[in-house]
Amino acid sequence: MPAIAERTATNPAHRFRFLPAAPSVSQFRARRLTASCRRGFRVRRRADMAGGGGDKFSVLLPTYNERENLPLVVWLLARTFRDSGKDFEIIIIDDGSPDGTQEIAEQLEKIYGSDKILLRPRASKLGLGTAYIHGMKHATGNFIVIMDADLSHHPKFIPEFIRMQKEGNFDIVSGTRYKGNGGVYGWDLKRKLISRGANFLTQVLLRPGASDLTGSFRLYRKEVLEKLMEKCVSKGYVFQMEMIVRARQLGYTIGEVPISFVDRVYGESKLGGNEIVSFLKGLLTLFATT
Amino acid sequence: MTKLGQWLCGLVLLGSAWAVLALAPPGLRLPAPFRQALLPLPVYLLVAFGCYALATVGFRLATFNDCEEAAAELREHIRAARADLARRGLRF
């Protein structure tokens, strides 16, 4: 699912001081602190895991017709994790692609071993949200990485995600195209304008406290993702937005790492009127209900 | 409270403050110069916000990074990946 419309980087909390219910950063931290005291046990367990270096990262790769890209992504992932010495597994959730994605995934399983590549296919196209739930059931890592399998997300950023997570002990680390060295490749001016405009609108309406809501390159603590999956009901781009919005509501912390988004090298990426309409509908739904 | 609720609260608060001042009976009115500034204030605010939005989106559009090097690097990595996978017996 290539990302489409997005939002921007400033902290909108500063712009709307007159609005009554916007919690300040310090209030937010205080609330989070009390929440973590209540969850003392969990916090201690997390600290142990962080200190012991026993982390394992499960990468969820939902695929549909990614025969060309899948082996390349898996190769890059395996190399990145081996270079950084982290324990990992790649869970491929193929939704019955007619192009033979499944067959090439089986070859990859033979090359890398069935402890590194887990095939968890489904019979038909059932959507991204259920793909994550399905994949997560089989994940043995304590962290989950979700990313697109179409090479628009380069695995080289994962070590930075991991470093950022450790630094801030974050619950979620989100890749962002809108900050620092982040950016995109292969978008024309119109697409960039839609993306920036949609991002601005989202920031104004939702004040989510994260700069890239429609991106889908993120690192989650497993239990956090499980909790969020219970709460989120949207589909498509809006699903990624809802994950961040709900995460804020539940008091989870979010770190950000700038990423470059290289639009599909193989296959085509679509941004039609329908997607814009469903994005706006989803945005307004979140605006009215969260 | 939902984000919609927060917006409505903010708008109602500001709106009623404005209405009280603008619609006050003649005896309680603000001095004329203030009144002249007050009456079109909502329109000014709206225009100012519109300008801010356009400027922000325009600036961010102009400074949106084009990741040429990232794309070149990816192409390089793809070549290496294909060669290595073929060596390991993958049939593309």
Side-chain angles (χ1 to χ4, degrees), chain A residues 5-53:
Chain A
E6 348 315 42
R7 72 274 32 182
T8 61
T10 56
N11 178 358
H14 299 304
R15 265 186 260 143
F16 292 95
R17 290 260 160 86
F18 59 86
L19 288 177
S24 69
V25 173
S26 56
Q27 282 172 319
F28 181 74
R29 293 224 171 103
R31 223 183 288 153
R32 164 109 187 117
L33 200 62
T34 14
S36 51
C37 292
R38 259 184 266 126
R39 293 186 312 229
F41 169 71
R42 224 167 107 202
V43 170
R44 232 174 299 126
R45 191 167 56 85
R46 280 177 189 176
D48 290 345
M49 287 193 298

Side-chain angles (χ1 to χ4, degrees), chain A:
Chain A
M1 216 212 46
I4 141 191
E6 348 315 42
R7 72 274 32 182
T8 61
T10 56
N11 178 358
H14 299 304
R15 265 186 260 143
F16 292 95
R17 290 260 160 86
F18 59 86
L19 288 177
S24 69
V25 173
S26 56
Q27 282 172 319
F28 181 74
R29 293 224 171 103
R31 223 183 288 153
R32 164 109 187 117
L33 200 62
T34 14
S36 51
C37 292
R38 259 184 266 126
R39 293 186 312 229
F41 169 71
R42 224 167 107 202
V43 170
R44 232 174 299 126
R45 191 167 56 85
R46 280 177 189 176
D48 290 345
M49 287 193 298
D55 293 331
K56 180 169 180 179
F57 299 86
S58 301
V59 182
L60 301 188
L61 285 181
T63 58
Y64 187 77
N65 287 349
E66 299 289 359
R67 187 189 167 85
E68 287 285 330
N69 293 315
L70 183 63
L72 307 173
V73 177
V74 167
W75 188 85
L76 287 170
L77 278 167
R79 194 184 63 164
T80 304
F81 278 112
R82 289 202 172 131
D83 286 355
S84 63
K86 307 281 185 199
D87 195 9
F88 74 102
E89 66 186 0
I90 302 168
I91 302 175
I92 300 169
I93 306 122
D94 185 59
D95 274 6
S97 306
D99 76 339
T101 304
Q102 184 61 26
E103 187 267 329
I104 207 131
E106 281 159 17
Q107 290 190 49
L108 289 166
E109 186 189 21
K110 284 200 192 82
I111 291 174
Y112 286 100
S114 53
D115 58 326
K116 292 295 175 219
I117 310 281
L118 284 68
L119 308 184
R120 298 292 180 265
R122 301 187 298 173
S124 60
K125 221 176 169 185
L126 296 170
L128 202 58
T130 57
Y132 291 143
I133 294 172
H134 180 76
M136 217 162 30
K137 272 190 234 147
H138 305 280
T140 59
N142 54 328
F143 286 99
I144 307 270
V145 176
I146 64 172
M147 63 188 291
D148 294 347
D150 63 3
L151 290 174
S152 54
H153 296 147
H154 196 300
K156 71 180 174 187
F157 294 108
I158 294 176
E160 291 176 41
F161 282 32
I162 295 172
R163 213 173 304 130
M164 173 64 81
Q165 192 283 323
K166 291 259 176 295
E167 241 168 57
N169 196 26
F170 292 112
D171 295 310
I172 301 168
V173 176
S174 173
T176 176
R177 292 158 288 183
Y178 301 110
K179 267 188 178 170
N181 296 325
V184 295
Y185 172 82
W187 283 11
D188 59 13
L189 195 65
K190 183 184 154 207
R191 177 108 189 225
K192 284 182 177 175
L193 176 65
I194 293 172
S195 174
R196 280 303 201 185
N199 183 245
F200 180 79
L201 191 63
T202 310
Q203 294 293 339
V204 169
L205 292 183
L206 299 182
R207 282 170 286 135
S211 61
D212 195 342
L213 264 73
T214 51
S216 50
F217 194 2
R218 294 179 188 155
L219 171 76
Y220 293 87
R221 289 185 197 279
K222 189 182 183 195
E223 69 269 21
V224 168
L225 185 57
E226 279 167 344
K227 183 89 190 154
L228 288 173
M229 295 301 318
E230 282 171 26
K231 303 252 168 194
C232 292
V233 293
S234 319
K235 300 216 154 42
Y237 296 121
V238 182
F239 170 74
Q240 307 292 355
M241 290 178 24
E242 188 178 2
M243 298 271 270
I244 294 291
V245 171
R246 302 272 179 213
R248 281 295 185 204
Q249 281 184 331
L250 294 169
Y252 293 128
T253 51
I254 304 172
E256 291 193 297
V257 170
I259 58 159
S260 51
F261 178 93
V262 179
D263 212 350
R264 296 182 68 103
V265 179
Y266 300 111
E268 61 184 286
S269 113
K270 284 154 267 142
L271 173 55
N274 276 349
E275 292 194 30
I276 296 174
V277 171
S278 62
F279 168 80
L280 287 175
K281 269 192 205 158
L283 176 60
L284 292 177
T285 308
L286 286 178
F287 178 61
T289 58
T290 64

